Amino acid sequence: MKKDEYWMRYAINMANIAFKEGEVPVGALLVKNNKIIGKGWNRSISQNDPSAHAEIIAIREAGKTLKNYRLLNTTLYVTLEPCTMCAGALVHSRIERLVYGIDDMKTGAVQSVLNVLNYSGINHKIKLTKGVLSKECLSLLNDFFYLVRKSKII
């Protein structure tokens, strides 16, 4: 658990970058052999790209780092439960393990709304750990959306 908390703190730092850029504060990183091979934060607004989620950016960077789209023996750390698009990318990239901070009760596709990772037709299974540093992850999102409602950002 200490290792998961260490890496989740790094993902939270990525989410803080998104926050400062006026993006929904979600951060992600891919780790292999105790080294970061890809990292990202949400950039959908700044890049005018609906696929520029933190997870997708981290997966793209990791693929370039490894020179392979198969990200075997890796762990993805992300502050918020992945959506359908991101959950599908996890499966296709063959990520071994997913660790996330908080459930997404609106668009979560790992357990909350949908369960993409456990669909019987999926040919790759991903180990799951959730709730790591959940208070910190939730606080960041709550602070962001409080400011959005007060019209101070986006």
Side-chain angles (χ1 to χ4, degrees), residues 18-130:
F19 190 116
K20 290 174 186 165
E21 293 179 357
E23 300 274 358
V24 176
V26 177
L29 62 129
L30 262 159
V31 175
K32 181 173 183 163
N33 298 327
N34 224 24
K35 292 181 183 169
I36 296 171
I37 59 169
K39 61 187 177 199
W41 56 90
N42 275 359
R43 296 184 195 157
S44 294
I45 297 166
S46 63
Q47 293 186 2
N48 300 308
D49 179 357
S51 71
H53 288 196
E55 301 96 322
I56 300 298
I57 293 168
I59 288 169
R60 288 175 180 159
E61 187 175 296
K64 288 177 184 174
T65 299
L66 297 180
K67 296 180 177 39
N68 195 335
Y69 77 96
R70 291 182 180 241
L71 306 176
L72 304 174
N73 304 309
T74 61
T75 299
L76 178 72
Y77 292 88
V78 61
T79 56
L80 181 66
E81 178 183 5
C83 69
T84 306
M85 174 185 66
C86 294
L90 269 68
V91 171
H92 287 294
S93 61
R94 305 297 192 263
I95 288 170
E96 180 178 334
R97 184 168 173 248
L98 168 65
V99 178
Y100 71 84
I102 57 173
D103 293 330
D104 183 345
M105 300 310 291
K106 292 183 179 179
T107 63
V110 173
Q111 289 189 322
S112 299
V113 178
L114 297 172
N115 197 334
V116 170
L117 302 186
N118 286 324
Y119 177 70
S120 62
I122 298 274
N123 63 347
H124 175 71
K125 300 300 178 193
I126 297 173
K127 298 172 192 164
L128 175 66
T129 302
K130 68 177 202 166

